[in-house]
Amino acid sequence: MSTTLSAEQQRLNINATKEIPLEKWGSYLAERQWGTVREDYSANGNAWTYFTHDHARSRAYIWGEDGIAGICDYQQNICFSIALWNGKDPIIKERLFGLANGEGNHGEDVKELYYHLDNLPSHYYMKYLYKYPQDAFPYNELVEVNGQRSREEPEYEILDTDVFKQNKYFDVFIEYAKADSEDIFIKIEIINRGTEAAPIVLLPTVWFYNRWQYDGMQQRPDISLHTDTAVKIVHERMGEYFLYFEKADEVWFTENETNNEKLFGKPNITDVVKDAFNDALIENKNTDTLRKKKNGTKCSPLYKKNIAAGDATCIYLRLTNKNLQQSFEPGFENIFSQRKKEADEFFASVIKDSDAEVAGIKRQALHGLLWSKQYYHYDVERWLDHTDGISPAYNERMSGRNSNWKTLKNQDIISMPDKWEYPWYATWDAAFHAIAMAHIDPVFAKNQLIVLMREWYMSPDGQLPAYEWDFNDVNPPVHAFAALEVYRIEHENTGMADMDFLKRIFQKLIINFTWWVNRKDANGNNIFEGGFLGLDNIGLFNRNMPLGNHIILEQTDGTSWMGMYALNMMDMAIEIAMNDNAFEDTATKFYEHFVIIAAALNELGLWNDEDNFFYDVLSISGNITFPLKVRSIVGLIPLFAVSVIDESRLHKLTDFKKRMSWFKDYRKANNKFLPSEENSSKNDILLSLVQKDRLMMLLHRFFDTAEFLAPGGIRSLSKYYLENPYSLNLEGTEYKIEYDPADATSGLYGGNSNWRGPVWIPINYLFIKSLQKYGQFFGDSLQIEFPKGSGNNLTLQQISDELKKIIFLKYSRDEHGELPVFGNYNWFYKKEENKNLLQFFEFFDGETSRGLGASHQTGWTALIAAL
């Protein structure tokens, strides 16, 4: 077998040796900066209304930039993206449009069609497709119709309007190919998919993130006309760059400054401002000024095209740190085919599936994951202590959102859930992103996990920040699991066992584990709370809100996550102890802690013998308890806490083995719960929150299509509640939960996510990994009917393989050539030019597998590539 490394892998190996193991330029530009907490300086904390989409074209951002198919350097000094105008829209298309949280019947939602076609970890090759209507973009229609719809109705999407019905649209392909790390060729190809000629204006745009407004740059950066086909870009942090381009109709310059006169009735500080290109095209305003201006902080060569039906036009540009006499050498176009070939070779080396369809799905998921990297900048202390120059310094902010997170000072490239819908990191999402990323760039994956543990993220008391809307929220503690997965994936794929990474993150995880123990166990009984724990509306009520001073919600999932956390830490300590026996004591500590948590889960009322299921329990005044009989994944999460210790390892860890034996004997002698089972044939030990008899009971529900098993995976809530809603009257307030397989009918947490029936890929990934461990231990000795009622008995390992196939079915064409994931929009995706396009949604309908929520959440939905 050939051991020749692909060109991309060689680049990654070189980058891994750098102090900052990151490519200087990449697809790091956000797709939405407006409507974020970072840009909100209001008194009431309503980020969506404080900085709107309508303001975005005219108002300079404080904390970052956004654009379509954009790139920037890893400190976001210089940005590049495209803008378009079809001659009919009321604004030029500089950024993706979507509804704010209050405008959508299911919260915020992007209303555009765009696709991540290709990307490499080094970003030496990137390709993106944006579909731009030739008729006026239906901005008002999308807002008005969605505003009229109830939560019980589906969202009104752009494919429900008429703008794409007659094929009257442009396919705009944006392609990047690097000659080297600071020499980037850019190809913009626009294809008219309609039956008539249509005009379009293209504005490839280079500009600076406006840092000079707040951080005291010594010199204002400048973009100036260099030749009639080039501009010179000077920035004190970047040195000199040049943007070369084909002969344009015009070259416009303006300043990335707020149009105070338009928005706030105050004088502007420069003669032309951020929205000058928009106003010049739409209103023919200040065109003479733009034509005379030869420098600024934002620049666009302008191309006016009329493209015949079915025809295409191409524009080439080059962004480089080289001052060239000849900007486009003969044959320069070959760089695109060369880098595409290298991308094909790289993905062929890391995706091993023999099934071409499955391999293609995985590759597109990984493209989306790579496009989801984003420059993220947020210094909470500075955000609180300063204003944006528009609003006064409101006292309410000093005790409001994130006010106790002044140590959080983020400025990094972070893998985002979705760069439009969630252009901010969510800590547990990021852990899952790292698992998928480890298959193609383990160095970046490891650094993502490490950076979340650093002092400028983690609170001094050990809490990890949840997400910018409320850093105090508590996400499931899955980072030890993710660290082990990343470590093992790299080891399996490369042979490298990065013990330094494991030790480094283990030390920080101990601090976070201690925070959990000290802060989320109110009764001191090893039954944990935690609040919503990332599962938005899964409970009867908002699990983050206090129900009263005398009422505590003791959570099956909070306790189970902690059991899983303890086992993951034990596994990590054992792995390290195989090379460094100084860690053997910590393996013992986490083993014993796991046993105590397991005893609490199984003995203190969370297991219900009547229903054979784990439920949350309400504790009232410390002495009255009753279960909340809702069968959701909350009651299946105990399955995640499972580990198998093989005998060969126990033999090497003599102190750990001795202490474990003593602890087991002690608990047996004193008639105490013990969550372990030995495999007599191999002397392996199974540690699990769920004993074998209860495991079987849970799995019967788990594999029942009338409860959890859906056509596309495992549902988040049992289908039983479709006909049997559950309600509870608590101190005069009525709470109710029912099966909602699609979008949320509840407004909890903004209503844009739904955990009351849909299928979520990260949870399914955890189920599959857990079943594999149970299968490893029990082997052929434990078989169960799958699906329930089929008469087909399988081992748990076989069932985990079947679940993988089920998950991929949503991306497999049926006998009509339709993909379940696209639902009613298959008419569009059956067109020849669209048949290979995919979107990786946030969650999936529990009945039809139609994609729902964020449409580009190849953050954690990219886990499909890790199956």
Side-chain angles (χ1 to χ4, degrees):
M1 180 181 293
S2 172
T3 57
T4 303
L5 294 178
S6 67
E8 174 64 7
Q9 190 59 57
Q10 292 177 50
R11 286 190 286 264
L12 294 178
N13 290 350
I14 292 170
N15 282 346
T17 65
K18 297 177 182 176
E19 182 179 354
I20 300 175
L22 191 68
E23 267 295 314
K24 187 167 187 176
W25 287 85
S27 47
Y28 308 145
L29 192 67
E31 288 170 335
R32 176 173 63 82
Q33 183 70 15
W34 61 272
T36 60
V37 168
R38 311 187 289 292
E39 300 292 340
D40 176 23
Y41 287 80
S42 67
N44 63 5
N46 191 333
W48 289 105
T49 58
Y50 184 76
F51 203 132
T52 65
H53 175 268
D54 199 42
H55 274 203
R57 66 180 175 276
S58 304
R59 188 168 158 187
Y61 294 123
I62 302 290
W63 294 98
E65 298 290 333
D66 60 15
I68 298 172
I71 62 171
C72 65
D73 63 275
Y74 57 42
Q75 292 183 326
Q76 200 165 93
N77 297 299
I78 303 171
C79 307
F80 175 90
S81 73
I82 65 164
L84 303 160
W85 188 48
N86 57 16
K88 298 176 182 176
D89 282 349
I91 57 175
I92 64 174
K93 180 67 67 174
E94 291 181 282
R95 58 189 48 80
L96 300 172
F97 171 74
L99 305 183
N101 182 268
E103 294 176 323
N105 57 330
H106 299 114
E108 64 267 30
D109 190 38
V110 69
K111 300 298 183 184
E112 302 268 17
L113 295 179
Y114 58 102
Y115 308 87
H116 303 128
L117 300 185
D118 219 331
N119 210 328
L120 280 169
S122 70
H123 309 293
Y124 261 61
Y125 183 71
M126 300 172 275
K127 191 172 184 180
Y128 184 110
L129 168 62
Y130 174 70
K131 290 182 175 287
Y132 187 38
Q134 294 171 6
D135 286 335
F137 194 92
Y139 292 104
N140 293 335
E141 180 182 350
L142 287 164
V143 173
E144 290 169 3
V145 176
N146 276 287
Q148 295 163 4
R149 292 195 171 187
S150 69
R151 293 196 181 277
E152 286 70 31
E153 295 176 278
E155 296 170 1
Y156 187 70
E157 305 290 4
I158 194 166
L159 286 176
D160 294 315
T161 72
D162 291 334
V163 291
F164 287 100
K165 295 285 173 67
Q166 305 299 321
N167 253 41
K168 294 176 66 176
Y169 65 88
F170 297 105
D171 271 345
V172 184
F173 294 93
I174 304 94
E175 201 170 356
Y176 300 94
K178 294 182 186 178
D180 61 45
S181 286
E182 298 184 77
D183 189 2
I184 308 165
F185 286 86
I186 305 165
K187 176 183 177 182
I188 303 168
E189 182 181 23
I190 306 174
I191 302 174
N192 180 356
R193 297 297 186 187
T195 57
E196 298 177 0
I200 190 167
V201 178
L202 169 67
L203 297 93
T205 306
V206 63
W207 76 101
F208 299 117
Y209 168 25
N210 187 339
R211 277 194 167 89
W212 56 91
Q213 64 185 310
Y214 66 80
D215 80 344
M217 291 179 68
Q218 295 181 6
Q219 186 174 359
R220 185 184 179 98
D222 185 65
I223 306 170
S224 59
L225 194 66
H226 183 59
T227 69
D228 61 351
T229 57
V231 295
K232 183 178 180 180
I233 305 163
V234 179
H235 193 288
E236 65 185 47
R237 296 185 179 182
M238 298 288 287
E240 290 185 355
Y241 273 77
F242 299 85
L243 180 68
Y244 299 97
F245 44 87
E246 295 185 87
K247 182 68 175 176
D249 294 291
E250 299 188 56
V251 181
W252 285 353
F253 294 87
T254 189
E255 305 295 339
N256 187 16
E257 300 280 5
T258 298
N259 191 335
N260 287 298
E261 183 179 318
K262 177 188 289 186
L263 298 180
F264 310 113
K266 299 177 181 179
N268 289 330
I269 62 174
T270 53
D271 57 342
V272 283
V273 286
K274 183 177 178 180
D275 57 11
F277 300 164
N278 178 87
D279 291 356
L281 279 172
I282 306 298
E283 304 173 20
N284 200 31
K285 184 178 179 181
N286 287 331
T287 51
D288 288 340
T289 303
L290 290 179
R291 288 182 179 121
K292 293 175 183 176
K293 191 171 173 62
K294 302 303 178 187
N295 74 306
T297 51
K298 178 180 178 182
C299 171
S300 290
L302 185 105
Y303 299 91
K304 297 179 179 179
K305 301 290 183 180
N306 194 65
I307 306 175
D311 234 348
T313 188
C314 270
I315 300 294
Y316 290 96
L317 303 95
R318 185 176 183 179
L319 179 62
T320 180
N321 62 350
K322 299 174 175 62
N323 188 350
L324 302 168
Q325 295 300 313
Q326 186 177 18
S327 52
F328 297 102
E329 300 91 346
F332 75 92
E333 300 96 332
N334 294 333
I335 190 70
F336 294 96
S337 57
Q338 174 62 30
R339 295 296 183 242
K340 176 65 168 70
K341 180 174 178 286
E342 291 172 1
D344 293 342
E345 291 170 349
F346 173 74
F347 283 105
S349 73
V350 296
I351 300 175
K352 307 296 186 182
D353 290 86
S354 56
D355 186 318
E357 183 182 31
V358 170
I361 294 166
K362 288 186 174 185
R363 178 169 173 176
Q364 287 210 40
L366 293 169
H367 294 161
L369 180 67
L370 291 166
W371 271 101
S372 296
K373 291 183 189 178
Q374 179 188 310
Y375 171 81
Y376 183 85
H377 190 193
Y378 190 17
D379 179 337
V380 171
E381 185 172 30
R382 199 184 84 205
W383 178 71
L384 290 169
D385 290 346
H386 296 79
T387 76
D388 59 354
I390 296 169
S391 295
Y394 293 111
N395 290 331
E396 293 90 334
R397 298 180 67 240
M398 301 308 294
S399 58
R401 176 180 286 137
N402 299 331
S403 57
N404 61 333
W405 282 85
K406 290 187 177 180
T407 57
L408 187 138
K409 302 178 187 301
N410 300 165
Q411 189 173 190
D412 291 288
I413 302 300
I414 299 292
S415 177
M416 296 297 164
D418 177 315
K419 288 204 297 189
W420 191 95
E421 191 137 351
Y422 305 113
W424 33 261
Y425 64 87
T427 310
W428 81 306
D429 295 53
F432 290 116
H433 303 177
I435 295 170
M437 188 71 75
H439 288 273
I440 51 174
D441 192 354
V443 172
F444 184 79
K446 290 182 291 186
N447 275 276
Q448 287 286 282
L449 292 173
I450 290 291
V451 79
L452 291 173
M453 306 288 156
R454 292 307 302 265
E455 301 73 38
W456 51 91
Y457 285 78
M458 180 186 280
S459 170
D461 64 7
Q463 183 179 7
L464 293 177
Y467 44 78
E468 68 175 35
W469 286 93
D470 187 355
F471 287 129
N472 287 315
D473 260 351
V474 182
N475 281 179
V478 294
H479 299 84
F481 170 81
L484 278 168
E485 285 286 281
V486 169
Y487 169 83
R488 289 167 178 162
I489 290 165
E490 182 179 37
H491 190 195
E492 290 169 8
N493 291 345
T494 70
M496 177 184 175
D498 192 346
M499 199 58 61
D500 288 342
F501 160 70
L502 220 52
K503 287 181 177 181
R504 187 178 180 189
I505 200 163
F506 183 77
Q507 293 166 349
K508 287 298 186 73
L509 287 167
I510 288 176
I511 300 171
N512 179 245
F513 186 93
T514 305
W515 174 85
W516 268 90
V517 172
N518 290 339
R519 297 292 294 272
K520 293 300 172 183
D521 180 11
N523 284 335
N525 60 359
N526 290 289
I527 297 293
F528 291 83
E529 302 91 52
F532 93 118
L533 283 174
L535 308 182
D536 295 29
N537 65 343
I538 202 164
L540 277 165
F541 33 72
N542 186 339
R543 301 196 301 173
N544 261 13
M545 300 300 292
L547 296 169
N549 293 330
H550 60 298
I551 301 176
I552 294 174
L553 179 66
E554 296 189 324
Q555 296 179 217
T556 288
D557 56 337
T559 306
S560 302
W561 288 122
M562 282 303 289
M564 175 185 171
Y565 200 172
L567 269 189
N568 294 149
M569 293 296 280
M570 181 201 74
D571 286 342
M572 198 180 297
I574 288 174
E575 182 70 23
I576 299 171
M578 298 303 290
N579 297 279
D580 184 347
N581 60 12
F583 284 77
E584 203 168 344
D585 289 353
T586 52
T588 304
K589 176 264 180 296
F590 285 110
Y591 162 71
E592 294 186 3
H593 207 135
F594 166 74
V595 171
I596 294 168
I597 293 170
L601 180 77
N602 284 276
E603 293 184 333
L604 297 183
L606 296 182
W607 175 262
N608 185 273
D609 285 319
E610 181 182 358
D611 294 349
N612 295 321
F613 206 78
F614 287 105
Y615 293 128
D616 286 349
V617 170
L618 280 181
S619 173
I620 302 176
S621 300
N623 53 20
I624 301 173
T625 62
F626 64 88
L628 300 177
K629 291 194 170 186
V630 178
R631 290 198 296 278
S632 71
I633 55 169
V634 164
L636 296 175
I637 287 174
L639 296 172
F640 298 164
V642 56
S643 180
V644 178
I645 307 176
D646 66 70
E647 193 274 337
S648 63
R649 294 199 156 202
L650 275 178
H651 182 71
K652 294 179 181 179
L653 302 174
T654 54
D655 185 75
F656 175 74
K657 183 178 181 180
K658 178 181 176 182
R659 178 65 183 176
M660 176 185 263
S661 297
W662 179 90
F663 199 65
K664 285 165 59 180
D665 292 343
Y666 176 86
R667 292 189 72 83
K668 286 179 180 177
N670 289 276
N671 207 23
K672 292 180 179 291
F673 181 87
L674 191 65
S676 63
E677 183 169 338
E678 294 189 17
N679 184 325
S680 58
S681 64
K682 295 188 291 185
N683 294 321
D684 294 345
I685 294 177
L686 174 74
L687 296 176
S688 170
L689 285 181
V690 185
Q691 292 181 305
K692 187 176 180 180
D693 58 340
R694 292 181 177 180
L695 172 66
M696 297 295 288
M697 295 171 189
L698 284 175
L699 293 180
H700 280 299
R701 291 198 187 277
F702 191 1
F703 303 147
D704 188 346
T705 57
E707 291 226 37
F708 287 99
L709 185 59
I714 302 302
R715 300 182 178 102
S716 46
L717 181 74
S718 171
K719 191 176 179 179
Y720 171 82
Y721 300 102
L722 176 64
E723 303 293 339
N724 306 278
Y726 180 83
S727 62
L728 170 73
N729 189 294
L730 184 64
E731 299 190 330
T733 301
E734 189 76 19
Y735 299 96
K736 181 181 178 182
I737 193 169
E738 56 189 341
Y739 176 67
D740 286 331
D743 287 307
T745 58
S746 159
L748 289 182
Y749 277 83
N752 61 332
S753 294
N754 185 21
W755 290 84
R756 294 184 174 182
V759 172
W760 292 76
I761 297 299
I763 296 298
N764 276 258
Y765 181 85
L766 289 170
F767 281 135
I768 288 168
K769 300 300 286 188
S770 299
L771 288 174
Q772 288 173 342
K773 288 184 180 179
Y774 285 115
Q776 172 192 342
F777 182 80
F778 288 114
D780 294 339
S781 69
L782 193 158
Q783 297 190 19
I784 193 167
E785 194 176 34
F786 182 88
K788 183 179 177 181
S790 67
N792 186 29
N793 290 320
L794 300 175
T795 67
L796 297 184
Q797 181 63 57
Q798 289 171 328
I799 290 173
S800 72
D801 292 337
E802 290 302 309
L803 281 175
K804 293 178 194 176
K805 294 175 185 176
I806 287 172
I807 287 169
F808 275 98
L809 282 176
K810 62 178 66 69
Y811 284 103
S812 298
R813 295 193 181 277
D814 62 18
E815 64 273 18
H816 305 294
E818 297 187 348
L819 293 175
V821 70
F822 286 131
N824 294 333
Y825 305 121
N826 270 285
W827 62 268
F828 184 74
Y829 290 99
K830 290 166 77 172
K831 293 176 182 289
E832 185 63 29
E833 68 267 23
N834 301 331
K835 65 180 183 181
N836 293 320
L837 301 177
L838 293 178
Q839 291 178 324
F840 293 88
F841 293 85
E842 184 179 4
F843 53 97
F844 302 87
D845 191 303
E847 297 300 310
T848 68
S849 296
R850 178 171 62 93
L852 300 164
S855 56
H856 292 79
Q857 192 142 345
T858 34
W860 65 15
T861 300
L863 280 171
I864 198 169
L867 293 175

